[in-house]
């Protein structure tokens, strides 16, 4: 396949010399239909979430923070030290949406804010409204908590997005002026200071990919290699919170602040893709195994401790205390995408899918304008909320990192669906739409028709014979599947988790049918917090029991299900607009106000109440009807 030009790329573009097993297709090669799950989500993002983010960064004073630097506002600085990043992420979301739909709805806003950013920049290139506005005088000198380079990373990514989608380079020029300053002050041979929040690393690699200036790659490598020597000084959270406790090449497991860990590994994976560093790649594999086999919730949520928004010990995954920050789910999606590019192995696409359909989807309301910061797996009645760990979705947050992060991911989601290499095309995410099976105008187009993830049937209809190899991911959950090629049963080989269709093996149609049925998942024996429970899943979708679907006198905490419960697909109640699952034989123990601890049996089975069928809804739809108790892991007997 031809190497793409910089302007053809989405969020990740690879250099001709990269060691990737597969490469992103040109931006726009996959176009999701509004009728499909992912396409309808992109449309909701366009119509509701992006406008909401624009409204909120204005209302919260985040844009005013730039205006005050040039005398256009006398308001005090508002927001956390990293508030600038919310503006940059919103701009990035807009850029990808322009690239996706060609919309001009945001032009006036973009022109004003890009101009504000440029005029707010100091003559030496420095740009951070928290520091410049007088809130802090610690310019690039107290970065453990300042997030100065974290904000710069998001500025770079927004600038790259506009360059690739519109060709405008004014924001890019602003970003590079700031990078030039950082390189002089903090680059190789300069002061050894590091930002407490990794993020700039992957942005710098992408800046190199866009511009061809290798110095940006060297700066990213410098920041990754310099971390882990406890240079930031003591802090009450400890060095591991900042990933400064140990060089990444020596790491054996995932630790510290979950988003920081995952952004660091994403940047390190970019280095491996471009430079083929075997030692670093081995460390990334160890961290990936730690995350995905010991420290990840069934929903793809990451971070089990509220203190430090951090990973806990192996198998420390309490459902009611899950922190599972939305940004951590997004960061893990981005990391797995890069691991997929590096290896071409389907296990990484499987984890992208798990997080996307569960923890990431759950974070956004059906309106697209309310959000969870924390994505717990259990909520009791009477939950004591704080802002981040609220019992219901909020329209915005004092720390508003998650909503614009969601907006930029969903606006660019089509860029993550498929890849290519010298052999052909690989399809990773299934949704209704059209896929160009190649990198040029003469490539065949496949119309993808599917109700995935609710139905495992995926039909691809080609407008001309397939002249390249096509690989179709077999989801890890799909124990059974069938394939028809041009209407005839076929048994293609499987490699790295993909069905391999050889060149010239398809004239017109491919019919995949992954057997989708509701199943019971049991927790690992070491998951003490979930012992004696079960979860219900259909395909990649995790289901939950919500108080709204129980009789008023029955508490969700008193429900249990027999291990042999029969699961049946039905429709979700009300306006949830999804399938639901009914579970037979549900029982409710009598509620009690007795002692917290007792050597007496609480109740005998004869005292338990039989409820009959129990309705479970998709986890990502909970909390859309009312503030109500919920649980994913349901006790069983």
């Amino acid at each position: 396949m031809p190497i793409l030009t910089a302007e053809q790329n989405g969020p990740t573009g690879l250099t001709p010399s990269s060691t990737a097993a597969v490469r992103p297709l040109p931006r726009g090669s996959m176009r999701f239909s509004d009728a499909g799950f992912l396409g309808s989500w992109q449309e909701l993002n366009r119509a509701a979430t992006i406008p909401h983010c624009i409204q909120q960064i204005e209302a919260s004073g985040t844009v005013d923070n730039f205006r005050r630097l040039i005398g256009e506002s006398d308001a005090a600085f508002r927001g956390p030290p990293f508030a600038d990043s919310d503006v940059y992420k919103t701009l990035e979301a807009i850029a990808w949406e322009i690239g996706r739909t060609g919309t001009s709805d945001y032009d006036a806003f973009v022109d004003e804010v890009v101009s504000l950013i440029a005029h707010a920049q100091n003559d030496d290139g420095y740009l951070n409204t928290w520091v410049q506005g007088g809130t802090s005088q610690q310019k690039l000198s107290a970065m453990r908590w300042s997030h100065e380079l974290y904000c710069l990373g998001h500025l770079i990514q927004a600038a790259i997005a506009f360059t690739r989608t519109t060709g405008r380079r004014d924001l890019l020029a602003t970003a590079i002026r700031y990078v030039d300053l950082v390189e002089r002050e903090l680059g190789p041979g300069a002061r050894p200071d590091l930002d407490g929040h990794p993020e700039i690393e992957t942005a710098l690699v992408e800046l190199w990919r866009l511009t061809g200036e290798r110095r940006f790659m060297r700066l990213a490598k410098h920041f990754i290699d310099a971390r882990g020597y406890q240079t930031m000084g003591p802090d009450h959270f400890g060095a591991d919170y900042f990933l400064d406790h140990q060089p990444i090449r020596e790491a054996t497991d995932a630790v510290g602040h979950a988003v920081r860990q995952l952004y660091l590994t994403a940047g390190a994976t970019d280095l491996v893709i471009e430079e083929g560093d075997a030692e670093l790649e081995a460390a990334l594999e160890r961290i990936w195994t730690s995350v995905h086999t010991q420290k990840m919730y069934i929903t793809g949520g990451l971070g089990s401790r509220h203190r430090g928004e951090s990973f806990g010990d192996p198998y420390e995954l309490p459902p009611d205390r899950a922190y599972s920050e939305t940004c951590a789910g997004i960061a893990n999606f981005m990391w797995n995408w890069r691991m997929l590019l590096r290896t071409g192995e389907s296990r990484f696409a499987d984890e992208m899918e798990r997080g996307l359909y569960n923890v990431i989807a759950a974070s956004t309301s059906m309106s697209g304008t309310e959000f969870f910061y924390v994505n717990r797996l259990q909520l009791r009645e009477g939950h004591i909320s704080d802002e981040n760990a609220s019992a219901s979705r909020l329209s915005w947050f004092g720390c508003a990192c998650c909503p614009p992060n969601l907006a930029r991911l969903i606006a660019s989601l089509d860029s993550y669906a498929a890849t290519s290499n010298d052999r052909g095309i690989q399809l990773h995410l299934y949704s209704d739409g059209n896929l160009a099976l190649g990198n040029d105008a003469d490539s065949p187009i496949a119309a993808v028709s599917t109700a995935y993830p609710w139905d495992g049937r995926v039909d691809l209809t080609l407008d001309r014979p397939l002249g390249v190899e096509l690989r179709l991911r077999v989801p890890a959950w799909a124990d059974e599947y069938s394939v028809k090629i041009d209407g005839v049963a076929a048994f293609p080989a499987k490699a790295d988790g993909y069905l391999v269709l050889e060149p010239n093996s398809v004239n017109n149609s491919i019919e995949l049918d992954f057997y989708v049925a509701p199943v019971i998942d049991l927790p690992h024996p070491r998951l003490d917090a979930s012992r004696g429970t079960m979860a219900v899943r259909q395909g990649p979708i995790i289901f939950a029991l919500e108080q709204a679907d129980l009789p008023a006198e029955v508490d969700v905490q008193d429900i249990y299900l027999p291990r042999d419960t029969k699961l049946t697909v039905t429709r979700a109640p009300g306006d949830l607009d999804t399938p639901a699952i009914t579970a037979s034989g549900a029982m409710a123990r009598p509620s009690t106000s007795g002692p917290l601890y007792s050597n007496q049996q609480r109740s005998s089975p004869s005292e338990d109440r039989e409820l009959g069928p129990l309705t479970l809804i998709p986890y990502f739809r909970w909390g859309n009807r009312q503030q109500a108790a919920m649980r994913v892991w349901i006790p069983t007997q």
Side-chain angles (χ1 to χ4, degrees):
M1 295 291 166
I3 300 298
L4 305 184
T5 64
E7 290 75 17
Q8 290 177 292
N9 283 303
T12 46
L14 308 186
T15 65
S17 60
S18 78
T19 63
V22 296
R23 294 174 171 273
L25 284 170
R27 184 171 41 79
S29 294
M30 182 75 218
R31 295 194 177 276
F32 295 134
S33 162
D34 292 353
F37 189 104
L38 301 184
S40 63
W41 194 355
Q42 285 194 308
E43 179 58 21
L44 178 68
N45 190 61
R46 180 203 64 79
T49 304
I50 292 176
H52 182 78
C53 288
I54 293 171
Q55 176 189 14
Q56 290 296 324
I57 61 174
E58 284 282 13
S60 66
T62 310
V63 178
D64 262 357
N65 291 339
F66 289 90
R67 293 190 180 104
R68 68 193 291 264
L69 294 182
I70 62 174
E72 292 187 3
S73 172
D74 58 4
F77 178 91
R78 285 180 281 174
F82 45 86
D84 293 0
S85 65
D86 297 338
V87 174
Y88 302 148
K89 282 183 278 189
T90 301
L91 285 173
E92 184 185 348
I94 292 169
W96 296 129
E97 190 57 41
I98 292 172
R100 188 179 77 90
T101 63
T103 181
S104 59
D105 292 351
Y106 314 114
D107 287 359
F109 172 82
V110 170
D111 288 343
E112 180 194 3
V113 174
V114 170
S115 176
L116 278 174
I117 292 168
H119 284 90
Q121 188 171 36
N122 283 355
D123 290 342
D124 65 357
Y126 185 78
L127 179 60
N128 184 280
T129 65
W130 182 64
V131 175
Q132 290 169 280
T135 309
S136 169
Q137 300 301 319
Q138 299 172 327
K139 174 180 166 184
L140 296 178
S141 61
M143 297 193 299
R144 187 193 318 158
W145 286 105
S146 72
H147 293 73
E148 288 160 280
L149 301 193
Y150 168 85
C151 290
L152 173 55
H154 283 298
L155 171 60
I156 292 168
Q157 288 169 325
I160 290 171
F162 274 106
T163 302
R164 287 179 172 165
T165 58
T166 70
R168 71 182 296 170
R169 290 178 171 260
D170 45 355
L171 193 61
L172 183 67
T174 300
I176 289 177
R177 288 186 65 210
Y178 193 178
V179 174
D180 291 343
L181 172 67
V182 169
E183 185 179 29
R184 293 193 301 270
E185 295 283 332
L186 304 172
R191 291 187 286 113
D193 293 347
L194 293 168
D195 195 293
H197 199 309
E199 203 282 336
I200 194 173
E201 296 81 3
T202 193
L204 286 169
V205 175
E206 207 61 44
L207 188 58
W208 169 54
R209 290 167 172 164
L210 177 72
T211 65
E213 293 191 45
R214 182 168 281 275
R215 64 191 179 99
F216 300 134
M217 179 70 160
R218 287 196 298 267
L219 187 56
K221 188 174 188 297
H222 168 72
F223 287 142
I224 289 171
D225 287 343
R227 190 175 295 272
Y229 296 94
Q230 302 186 41
T231 58
M232 294 183 199
D235 187 272
H236 66 287
F237 277 131
D240 60 347
Y241 173 89
F242 306 98
L243 287 308
D244 195 34
H245 66 299
Q246 179 186 43
I248 190 171
R249 284 177 169 79
E250 299 174 11
T252 57
D253 61 353
V255 298
H257 185 275
V259 180
R260 285 169 165 83
Q261 171 74 90
L262 296 164
Y263 277 158
L264 180 63
T265 53
T269 306
D270 277 323
L271 281 183
V272 170
I273 288 172
E274 297 296 350
E275 296 197 332
D277 187 321
E279 182 183 31
L280 185 55
E281 185 168 28
L284 290 168
E285 178 64 29
R286 292 193 299 270
I287 298 170
W288 190 92
T289 299
S290 168
V291 168
H292 297 90
T293 67
Q294 298 179 333
K295 298 189 177 185
M296 181 180 69
Y297 286 97
I298 193 172
T299 57
L302 298 154
S304 59
R305 293 183 180 178
H306 285 236
R307 186 182 188 277
E309 302 179 315
S310 65
F311 288 106
D313 297 332
Y315 307 107
E316 181 191 338
L317 294 166
D320 54 345
R321 291 294 297 163
Y323 198 75
S324 185
E325 184 184 341
T326 295
C327 281
I330 294 169
N332 197 44
F333 182 95
M334 294 177 174
W335 180 30
N336 274 284
W337 166 246
R338 288 161 172 80
M339 294 290 277
L340 173 62
L341 295 178
R342 174 71 182 99
T343 66
E345 296 176 13
S346 67
R347 58 184 168 132
F348 303 113
D350 288 332
E351 295 305 338
M352 291 167 62
E353 178 179 84
R354 181 202 300 268
L356 186 64
Y357 286 118
N358 294 290
V359 65
I360 297 174
S363 64
T364 310
S365 68
M366 292 178 67
S367 70
T369 60
E370 295 176 307
F371 313 92
F372 281 134
Y373 187 109
V374 167
N375 295 278
R376 63 180 52 78
L377 281 75
Q378 181 176 344
L379 177 71
R380 296 181 178 86
E381 290 287 355
H383 170 76
I384 301 173
S385 294
D386 59 37
E387 182 187 39
N388 287 359
S390 59
S392 58
R393 295 178 184 84
L394 302 179
S395 63
W396 208 244
F397 304 88
C399 172
C401 53
C402 298
N405 211 6
L406 279 160
R408 71 177 183 136
L409 173 67
I410 303 308
S412 60
L413 195 56
D414 47 295
S415 294
Y416 299 98
T419 55
S420 68
N421 59 17
D422 291 340
R423 295 188 305 273
I425 304 296
Q426 306 82 38
L427 181 55
H428 312 292
L429 300 179
Y430 298 111
S431 195
D432 235 44
N434 292 304
L435 172 64
L437 297 174
N439 285 351
D440 55 62
D442 294 327
S443 301
I445 301 294
V448 182
S449 177
T450 181
Y452 196 95
W454 311 115
D455 190 314
R457 175 77 175 264
V458 182
D459 291 331
L460 289 83
T461 304
L462 280 62
D463 68 350
R464 70 195 76 172
L466 178 66
V468 297
E469 177 189 273
L470 177 61
R471 294 195 175 203
L472 303 169
R473 181 175 63 94
V474 178
W477 54 262
D479 297 326
E480 299 178 39
Y481 59 88
S482 64
V483 183
K484 289 183 179 180
I485 296 177
D486 296 330
V488 179
F491 304 91
K494 187 177 176 183
D496 296 325
Y498 293 82
L499 297 174
V500 182
L501 281 63
E502 299 292 344
N504 304 312
S505 64
V506 184
N507 291 317
N508 178 257
S509 66
I510 305 163
E511 178 187 312
L512 298 178
D513 201 347
F514 304 117
Y515 180 61
V516 177
V519 297
I520 290 170
D521 284 337
L522 301 177
H524 189 284
R526 292 186 180 180
L527 288 180
D528 290 333
S530 298
R531 186 167 292 156
T533 66
M534 64 184 188
V536 174
R537 175 180 54 80
Q538 182 184 18
I541 304 292
I542 302 299
F543 283 72
L545 173 61
E546 194 171 25
Q547 185 69 50
D549 296 312
L550 294 173
E553 69 277 10
V554 176
D555 193 300
V556 69
Q557 297 178 85
D558 297 324
I559 298 295
Y560 67 92
L561 287 169
R563 186 70 68 89
D564 61 353
T565 185
K566 182 181 178 182
L567 303 175
T568 307
V569 178
T570 183
R571 291 299 301 175
D575 299 324
L576 294 183
D577 192 30
T578 67
I581 291 175
T582 59
S584 64
M587 302 292 290
R589 297 183 179 90
S591 298
T592 177
S593 57
L596 190 59
Y597 306 103
S598 173
N599 64 356
Q600 301 298 315
Q601 183 173 323
R602 295 291 178 183
S603 65
S604 67
S606 62
E607 297 175 304
D608 295 349
R609 173 181 173 182
E610 184 174 349
L611 295 179
L614 188 69
T615 299
L616 294 95
I617 63 168
Y619 169 72
F620 71 81
R621 279 288 193 252
W622 86 274
N624 274 283
R625 293 172 288 179
Q626 62 188 61
Q627 180 178 319
M630 174 277 299
R631 69 185 307 160
V632 167
W633 290 106
I634 302 170
T636 184
Q637 275 189 344

